[in-house]
Amino acid sequence: MVRAAVLPAVGAPLEIAEIDLPDPGPGQVRVRLAAAGVCHSDLSLSDGTMRVPVPAVLGHEGAGTVVAVGEGVTHLAPGTDVVLNWAPSCGGCHACSLGEVWLCANALNGAADVYARRASDGTDLHPGLNVAAFAEETVVSANCVLPAPDGVPLTDAALLGCAVLTGYGAVHHSARVRQGETVAVYGVGGVGLAALQAARIAGASKIVAVDVSPAKEELARGAGATDYVVASDTTAREIRALTGKQGVDVAVECVGRAAAIRTAWDSTRRGGRTTVVGIGGKDQQVTFNALELFHWGRTLAGCVYGNCDPARDLPVLAQHVRAGRLDLGALVTERIGLEGIPAAFENMLAGKGGRALVVF
Ligand SMILES: [Zn+2]
Ligand SMILES: [Zn+2]
């Protein structure tokens, strides 16, 4: 029996409960979590903006140590430190055949599985986004773990699995920021902070952080922001003023709201790139007129999981960490226990803080 944060139903509060995990079956591993980040997607799953089968154990950004392996797992052994990958690629679908593994059509098939039971009454539990990281231990497909990089503390490595891959990938793979370009990042949460650091690594000449909260300026500047704009009706104008009236070469939207996407677009220079990382709801309608689409010549791109191949990108991120270019600890504004997750959700809704990290 292990403790877990269970989502009993969409819209219901999380409950801390004991769960029974089975022994790992063929192709599976059991992992003892060291840490798990609280991501905005967990909140989106709990409130129904995104859907997975429930009751579920949420949490998809984690790292820990393999404690048992199932039949047929030969490349991992008890004692191996691993980072969880919530979007394993199947290798066989159209996207995978093109190398676009972040768009794998089968990545979330595991979410429908029953992976554990509630200890009190035997209720079937689903693993959220595959990996059920809001628990002391989890049982996952061996495809859902990657070796943890050497020289990165395991608790920090948890963040690599979602926030850092997503924010870094948005800048490096989707927007392809080049040295000397100007960048604006909308939303200073875990992903936004990673995007700011990625823009610094890319050698951006000006990095503007935008957030509704004035309280995040120090956090943003610590991650590489050279300028800070508190979001308002005049944000796009302020950003154009900071960039010789042009607008930024690249705007990265990490909020998932129509107004922020529209402002990110408006603050992008003619011919520039606007990358949407934030996951918005279906009610968030963004409108453009036909003339402006032509006139501004901008590229508007969605970006899933940072367009990352975790197996390829984790070692690169680890190199940046070891060289001191990427500061994982700087993303974390709060270390909590499982019982602190509901309050972390409240903080996210209120736009407070960076990443909350559950430390086991
Ligand atoms: Zn996430
Ligand atoms: Zn696939």
Side-chain angles (χ1 to χ4, degrees), residues 89-96 101 103-107:
S89 49
C90 73
C93 71
H94 183 62
C96 284
V101 297
L103 299 178
C104 175
N106 299 308

Side-chain angles (χ1 to χ4, degrees), residues 32-356:
R32 180 174 298 139
L33 273 297
V38 183
C39 176
H40 205 278
S41 301
D42 295 309
L43 176 60
S44 299
L45 291 166
S46 79
D47 69 16
T49 303
M50 291 162 62
R51 296 270 179 172
V52 287
V54 289
V57 176
L58 303 182
H60 58 276
E61 175 183 276
T65 305
V66 173
V67 291
V69 302
E71 196 187 313
V73 178
T74 52
H75 67 294
L76 295 163
T80 307
D81 288 340
V82 292
V83 174
L84 299 179
N85 169 19
W86 59 265
S89 49
C90 73
C93 71
H94 183 62
C96 284
S97 73
L98 295 172
E100 297 176 358
V101 297
W102 54 93
L103 299 178
C104 175
N106 299 308
L108 287 179
N109 286 1
D113 294 345
V114 170
Y115 92 109
R117 293 202 157 69
R118 205 168 162 130
S120 59
D121 57 8
T123 307
D124 290 345
L125 297 173
H126 300 281
L129 295 180
N130 285 321
V131 295
F134 289 163
E136 292 163 336
E137 296 190 16
T138 187
V139 173
V140 299
S141 163
N143 296 333
C144 290
V145 303
L146 290 162
D150 289 334
V152 179
L154 206 46
T155 44
D156 285 354
L159 302 162
L160 294 173
C162 189
V164 180
L165 277 177
T166 302
Y168 175 91
V171 167
H172 282 264
H173 298 318
S174 181
R176 297 177 185 269
V177 173
R178 291 165 296 208
Q179 179 136 17
E181 288 194 309
T182 56
V183 177
V185 174
Y186 287 77
V188 182
V191 173
L193 287 165
L196 290 168
Q197 291 202 35
R200 179 170 64 187
I201 290 169
S205 59
K206 191 177 276 286
I207 305 172
V208 187
V210 183
D211 197 278
V212 290
S213 167
K216 291 185 178 177
E217 177 164 358
E218 198 181 332
L219 201 56
R221 288 190 183 273
T226 57
D227 297 270
Y228 192 81
V229 172
V230 177
S232 71
D233 292 347
T234 60
T235 297
R237 205 182 312 154
E238 287 174 64
I239 289 178
R240 282 197 295 275
L242 285 168
T243 49
K245 299 186 181 160
Q246 300 296 309
V248 284
D249 296 304
V250 168
V252 180
E253 198 271 359
C254 306
V255 180
R257 295 197 68 82
I261 293 167
R262 179 66 226 199
T263 308
W265 163 268
D266 287 334
S267 68
T268 303
R269 73 162 164 87
R270 202 172 180 193
R273 290 96 76 199
T274 309
T275 297
V276 176
V277 182
I279 303 171
K282 289 179 186 168
D283 60 327
Q284 296 291 309
Q285 296 283 336
V286 191
T287 56
F288 304 93
N289 69 55
L291 180 62
E292 66 178 344
L293 286 173
F294 161 77
H295 171 78
W296 290 102
R298 296 166 177 145
T299 303
L300 177 68
C303 173
V304 176
Y305 208 3
N307 296 10
C308 278
D309 175 350
R312 177 197 64 197
D313 288 301
L314 271 188
V316 175
L317 293 174
Q319 279 178 10
H320 287 310
V321 173
R322 289 191 294 265
R325 293 184 289 265
L326 183 59
D327 181 359
L328 299 177
L331 306 185
V332 178
T333 47
E334 200 183 7
R335 286 168 196 268
I336 58 176
L338 280 176
E339 59 289 339
I341 296 171
F345 281 180
E346 290 299 319
N347 282 340
M348 274 194 282
L349 275 172
K352 289 187 202 157
R355 208 49 148 196

